[in-house]
Amino acid sequence: MSGTEDLRVAFHDYRRPLAPAGVYTLTAEHHLTKDGNRVDVNPAIPATTQQFEIRAVRFVLDPSSVHAHYPAEGAAGDFSRTLPHITLDRSILPWERLLKARAVPEQAPWLALMVFRAGELPDDPEGLGQTTTRTVAELRSPGDGILGPDLSDTGITPGIAASRCQSIDVPATLFTALVPREEELNYLAHVRDVSTRPQRRDDGEILTKGQYAVLAANRLPRQPGTYTAHLVSLEGFNGKLDPGQLGGSVRFVRLCVLHSWTFTSDPAGTRDPAALLSNLVAPARADRENLTLRLRPSGSVAARSTADAEQYARRRLHLGYTPLPYRLLSGETTYGWYRGPLVPVMAAETRDFARDTPKTTADHALIYEPEHGLFDVSYAAAWTLGRTLALSDPDYSEEITRARRELANTAATMMALATAGPGLAAADPADLDGRTLREVAAPGFATDLLDALARPLAPHDQAPAPARRSRRTRLTQQSARAVLTAGPKAAALQATAERHTRTLPGWLDELTLLRRVPFNYLVPHPAMLPPESIRLFRIDENWIEALLAGARDVGVHTSLDALVDTTLTAAIDSRRTRIRTRETGRVGLLIRSELVEAWPVFDILTSAGGANVAELRRDHLAPDTLLLLLDALPDEIVIREPGQGIHFGIDSSGAGGEDDSVLNLREHRPGDDLGYPLRRDYPAAGGLLTRHLRLPNGGGAPDVLALRGDRGLVPALAADLDPTLSDLAPGEFALQLVNAPVEQRLTLDSAPDQESAR
């Protein structure tokens, strides 16, 4: 968005429903007592029993319930310090079922997010996120050597047992190594209460107002490779989560999977948001002009060119022009200068295309340079494009043609009446001057009419001779314009124009925002927007007006069409949204990057003088290309790391070394500073991974956080925050794991390059 309110996020430990899912029995009994003694009638009224069931998600999760997950599906980047997480729309979902185990706290969820590396799961050897479809009965009773969930006491009906679900078989040793311990489950789930303005997004975390459940994994993807995150159900695994609880005969553990996605952890990954953002703005560190939309010549233009010619060509390129082949009317082939609506400088004022009389060719928009014998075809191309787009839209061309015909017919009638005799003019049915109505409303009209009807008819030979009409005079263009601009006649023309231009204003507004304009008209040369680049530009309003003029000039065939064109234009403009802002100038930016393809929507915050700058258009011109139009020049642009905007993991102290991992601590006590950085780390000298990762059995690099126990992160972190604390609530722990998004800031010059008038 161009500007967003301050993000307000509250972390809650859990949100348990008043009654968890299950079958409930209501019993109603009737007791009649007196002085504390029952005096029921004999026989007593029998008790009434009624059963009902509260249903909740169990074996299948609707994909629409998944609000977002991080890393994004298919993302590749350095996620070695990231704890993958999933956000659910239903904030009570992880607590709708009870997980009955020995050491599980009351607020422990029945769901967990487990992360597996490619090659670890037999069901998914390539790490593609594949699962196996099985029935619920096969999930519960998987066979020898495989442990399924113990759901024998939950009353599963035959219909439910025959239903299908997604599942994975996890090797027993791997399950024990990765699954959260019973006393750790509650730290990996919390409720997020978001208060912010709704934001339109295509993918990634949508930080909209609402309450969401968040489940984080306990595994860091430290080793490069493909990973799959599975949201699994732990219901029915009571007492099986701690080491040594599975039994020696169990080779695999069968888990029900409710949602899955894959990503790649690669320190050199091209889809790492922070690295992509840094690369986008890297050219500006040498010179901010490197981010403007223009061609940049390398070396000398030509060995045989003169210094003046080279300077002229470089100046043209600096102004945003591109040399393109151009064929003259004489048939000769040369080249001309073309510049689209996206320019690197503030365009000079030229002819006002909005006030032009209608044209039938683009020759009027050509600009000739006699000194160099070259044409500037920019505005002529814009006019031709506008006319082409209008003619290619049958609805638009039909409507504007009909409007011109109706206006021309009305104008012709008015001019005919202006040259007719007074009697014909008064009797005309259109009565554009209102004379007939005035005569009817005059006093005595009814009496005169009755007298005339009562008189005897005169013989034909005695009838008075008809008045001889005066010969009509031919109107000049000036006199015709004077007739058509007279008060009542001008109002009638305006009403006719408005009646027949219902959709034209909206169509032209869309064109003002450059919709329907082909990309090669916006960026005429590929080198102007290379891969992994961001380019800033201003809008040439002259080009926009030439484009609109080409669309408006459709249907002009006669001089009368041209005469009433002003009325048609006024009727259209009166209902258009005034997007054109010549005083301040519209601006925008283009981003071509894998960032756009991987995360189609992310925050772009623009401000001028501390106030937000409004967005006019944000659109994807290609899967990897984003266009943003703003209604004014900002002095600062902030591009925020996409994805969730808030994700979890550990940080780097920046000291380097074998283990410089830390947590950037945040204020955990209630108050105005809650959530703000404390500007100190835990541990102060680094080494978090060395202290708080589970020691693997059978070798391998440790990558699973130990939250409780001898190497537990939670009690150590609590004591570092406050020596009087021995524990943290799930919401407090989540707050300490928050990694703020990376931001790239661009400051813009308030005095841009000004093109001289031509």
Side-chain angles (χ1 to χ4, degrees), residues 206-237:
I206 307 177
L207 289 174
T208 54
K209 183 177 181 180
Q211 297 175 340
Y212 307 94
V214 181
L215 291 158
N218 62 348
R219 186 180 192 182
L220 297 164
R222 298 184 66 191
Q223 299 185 38
T226 302
Y227 287 80
T228 300
H230 289 293
L231 180 65
V232 301
S233 168
L234 296 182
E235 184 186 17
F237 288 97

Side-chain angles (χ1 to χ4, degrees), residues 202-266:
D202 300 330
D203 191 14
E205 181 71 74
I206 307 177
L207 289 174
T208 54
K209 183 177 181 180
Q211 297 175 340
Y212 307 94
V214 181
L215 291 158
N218 62 348
R219 186 180 192 182
L220 297 164
R222 298 184 66 191
Q223 299 185 38
T226 302
Y227 287 80
T228 300
H230 289 293
L231 180 65
V232 301
S233 168
L234 296 182
E235 184 186 17
F237 288 97
N238 304 343
K240 303 297 183 181
L241 305 182
D242 292 341
Q245 300 297 321
L246 294 180
S249 62
V250 175
R251 296 180 293 108
F252 293 95
V253 176
R254 182 162 293 176
L255 297 174
C256 177
V257 177
L258 284 82
H259 188 77
S260 304
W261 78 95
T262 62
F263 61 92
T264 301
S265 182
D266 181 4

Side-chain angles (χ1 to χ4, degrees), residues 300-539:
S300 178
V301 175
R304 61 183 181 180
S305 64
T306 64
D308 290 343
E310 181 172 343
Q311 183 179 4
Y312 164 74
R314 288 184 179 276
R315 177 60 181 169
R316 277 289 181 173
L317 296 179
H318 179 79
L319 295 177
Y321 284 93
T322 301
L324 295 177
Y326 180 62
R327 184 182 295 275
L328 301 174
L329 292 177
S330 60
E332 300 174 71
T333 300
T334 178
Y335 77 93
W337 293 109
Y338 172 78
R339 185 175 68 177
L342 316 182
V343 296
V345 297
M346 183 179 292
E349 295 282 353
T350 60
R351 64 185 299 159
D352 193 346
F353 292 97
R355 296 182 178 274
D356 261 352
T357 56
K359 308 295 183 182
T360 56
T361 69
D363 291 348
H364 71 289
L366 286 171
I367 299 175
Y368 181 62
E369 293 185 354
E371 182 180 355
H372 301 93
L374 297 174
F375 282 97
D376 180 348
V377 301
S378 305
Y379 300 140
W383 188 93
T384 303
L385 175 63
R387 187 177 185 86
T388 303
L389 293 175
L391 292 174
S392 65
D393 189 327
D395 294 333
Y396 175 87
S397 56
E398 180 184 359
E399 184 172 349
I400 195 170
T401 302
R402 181 185 295 111
R404 290 194 183 279
R405 297 284 68 76
E406 294 293 336
L407 272 176
N409 292 338
T410 303
T413 302
M414 291 177 178
M415 290 188 293
L417 293 175
T419 58
L424 179 60
D428 188 83
D431 192 27
L432 298 174
D433 289 329
R435 187 176 305 169
T436 303
L437 291 178
R438 289 195 298 271
E439 291 180 358
V440 172
F445 175 78
T447 303
D448 294 342
L449 180 60
L450 290 174
D451 291 344
L453 293 175
R455 296 175 191 156
L457 296 176
H460 178 70
D461 55 353
Q462 299 180 9
R468 189 170 183 178
R469 292 183 182 177
S470 59
R471 190 170 185 177
R472 298 185 184 181
T473 59
R474 187 177 184 87
L475 291 177
T476 64
Q477 187 174 17
Q478 290 78 8
S479 58
R481 182 175 290 109
V483 169
L484 298 179
T485 55
K489 294 182 175 62
L493 276 177
Q494 187 74 14
T496 301
E498 292 178 355
R499 191 164 56 251
H500 292 89
T501 55
R502 302 293 186 185
T503 65
L504 298 187
W507 194 93
L508 292 174
D509 279 340
E510 292 290 294
L511 203 58
T512 304
L513 293 176
L514 300 175
R515 300 190 192 277
R516 304 184 181 90
V517 176
F519 183 73
N520 60 326
Y521 279 81
L522 304 177
V523 183
H525 196 286
M528 300 176 74
L529 188 66
E532 299 306 320
S533 65
I534 179 173
R535 293 293 182 261
L536 309 177
F537 56 81
R538 283 181 170 271
I539 294 292

Side-chain angles (χ1 to χ4, degrees), residues 153-166:
D153 59 345
T154 56
I156 295 179
T157 64
I160 296 177
S163 62
R164 296 183 177 275
C165 63
Q166 301 302 312

